[in-house]
Amino acid sequence: MHWLLWALAVDMCLALGALLVRKLGFYRRLVHFALCAAFASTAGILSAPIMWACGKRASVNWVVARTFYYTTRVVLGINVEIEGEDILQRARPCVMIGNHQTMLDLIMLGRVFPMQTVILAKKSVSYYPFVGWFMRLADDIFISRGSKQSVSGMFQRASAELRAKQVSVWFFPEGTRGRFADGPDLLPFKVGAFLLAYHAQVPVVPVVVMDFHNLHNSRRFWSTSGTLKIKILEPVSLDGLAEDDLKPVMDRTRESMLVELKRISPPRIVH
């Protein structure tokens, strides 16, 4: 009990200090974010035996996602509004793709992530405390960057799961976080998500989250509460296409996501 009182006292001091020094408020919110992630991951780990018994192993991710979202909504004050959520129900199984901006993308995932969906991530993530533990329990897919054998194995395993288990997969097609000083934008897409959907014979569902600039900017040590808007676009069918046709489809999908990103993003404020 003493450690809890100390933690509350330190948090109160940081809250008071944040009134004078912006950085203190920023780091305080980061600590809260990390604690919410650890709490949600623990919930996922504890739920794993139940999900396994129900034959819903991949839904451990859903437990973590929803726990994290509702916890951060209270602790950080970030609410999520979704347009087109019914599309995910109609299109499953599918390969979902989303724009990648900051670590707060996890809040977006927490709200939008459907049941029976796995995550594709770097192999190094599997070794992270809490996060890596629940991802292993959820049977998520880990790949080694630069390893042709790993990528090939990923496509084989993921496409088999999509077809046999009716499991969807989440992808960030940019491959890394996109940070743009001049306004919302997207990095070039990597073709992996479209190759996976092509081999698994499922559609690609684009998910667009608005520009985070007004809610979170690590370069300016700015983080605040607010509403995060998400738009889910119509599924992109790859039926009847050859593998050589994927790049033009990928480029058109990126362009439609960029148009939507600019539409739902508010004008940037000066921090």
Side-chain angles (χ1 to χ4, degrees):
M1 183 61 68
H2 290 298
W3 65 269
L4 181 59
L5 293 175
W6 275 106
L8 291 173
V10 170
D11 186 66
M12 186 174 295
C13 290
L14 288 173
L16 293 173
L19 298 175
L20 302 174
V21 182
R22 178 193 290 185
K23 282 187 179 181
L24 289 178
F26 178 81
Y27 288 120
R28 176 174 177 258
R29 286 177 68 84
L30 286 187
V31 171
H32 289 173
F33 180 91
L35 291 174
C36 289
F39 176 74
S41 299
T42 302
I45 292 168
L46 294 176
S47 73
I50 299 173
M51 291 300 173
W52 288 9
C54 295
K56 301 285 186 180
R57 182 173 179 179
S59 290
V60 171
N61 289 321
W62 178 84
V63 172
V64 174
R66 290 299 186 273
T67 303
F68 182 70
Y69 169 64
Y70 288 113
T71 304
T72 54
R73 189 170 73 169
V74 173
V75 175
L76 299 180
I78 296 179
N79 186 49
V80 174
E81 294 180 357
I82 304 178
E83 183 180 351
E85 189 170 10
D86 61 299
I87 293 173
L88 283 180
Q89 302 303 320
R90 291 191 278 109
R92 293 168 59 192
C94 63
V95 173
M96 292 171 286
I97 59 173
N99 51 316
H100 194 14
Q101 299 177 68
T102 76
M103 68 178 187
L104 263 66
D105 288 331
L106 292 177
I107 297 176
M108 173 271 292
L109 282 173
R111 176 60 184 85
V112 78
F113 211 83
M115 294 188 74
Q116 287 301 94
T117 301
V118 297
I119 304 168
L120 188 144
K122 297 181 295 182
K123 189 174 182 179
S124 59
V125 175
S126 67
Y127 302 112
Y128 291 179
F130 295 103
V131 174
W133 299 340
F134 88 75
M135 290 180 70
R136 283 181 178 275
L137 290 172
D139 203 24
D140 288 332
I141 302 167
F142 301 102
I143 61 171
S144 300
R145 285 187 174 179
S147 169
K148 292 183 178 179
Q149 289 183 345
S150 177
V151 172
S152 175
M154 176 272 295
F155 285 130
Q156 292 176 11
R157 178 186 170 203
S159 62
E161 288 186 2
L162 282 168
R163 291 193 300 266
K165 301 181 181 179
Q166 296 292 292
V167 173
S168 298
V169 176
W170 179 274
F171 245 99
F172 285 116
E174 295 167 282
T176 189
R177 298 176 189 174
R179 297 188 178 100
F180 305 96
D182 299 328
D185 205 342
L186 295 173
L187 295 170
F189 281 6
K190 300 181 185 299
V191 76
F194 290 82
L195 275 172
L196 176 57
Y198 172 77
H199 287 295
Q201 300 176 338
V202 297
V204 174
V205 177
V207 179
V208 183
V209 58
M210 75 178 209
D211 184 23
F212 266 100
H213 178 85
N214 293 353
L215 294 180
H216 183 86
N217 188 324
S218 58
R219 295 179 179 178
R220 298 286 184 179
F221 299 102
W222 172 264
S223 184
T224 189
S225 59
T227 299
L228 196 60
K229 293 183 179 180
I230 296 173
K231 175 64 184 290
I232 300 174
L233 305 184
E234 288 295 328
V236 178
S237 175
L238 304 180
D239 291 345
L241 297 181
E243 192 169 321
D244 292 340
D245 299 327
L246 294 181
K247 190 177 187 309
V249 174
M250 178 185 71
D251 291 340
R252 289 196 298 270
T253 303
R254 178 187 177 277
E255 184 59 32
S256 66
M257 290 179 67
L258 181 56
V259 169
E260 197 61 39
L261 171 61
K262 292 180 178 180
R263 184 187 73 82
I264 66 175
S265 296
R268 287 189 168 186
I269 61 175
V270 178
H271 299 311

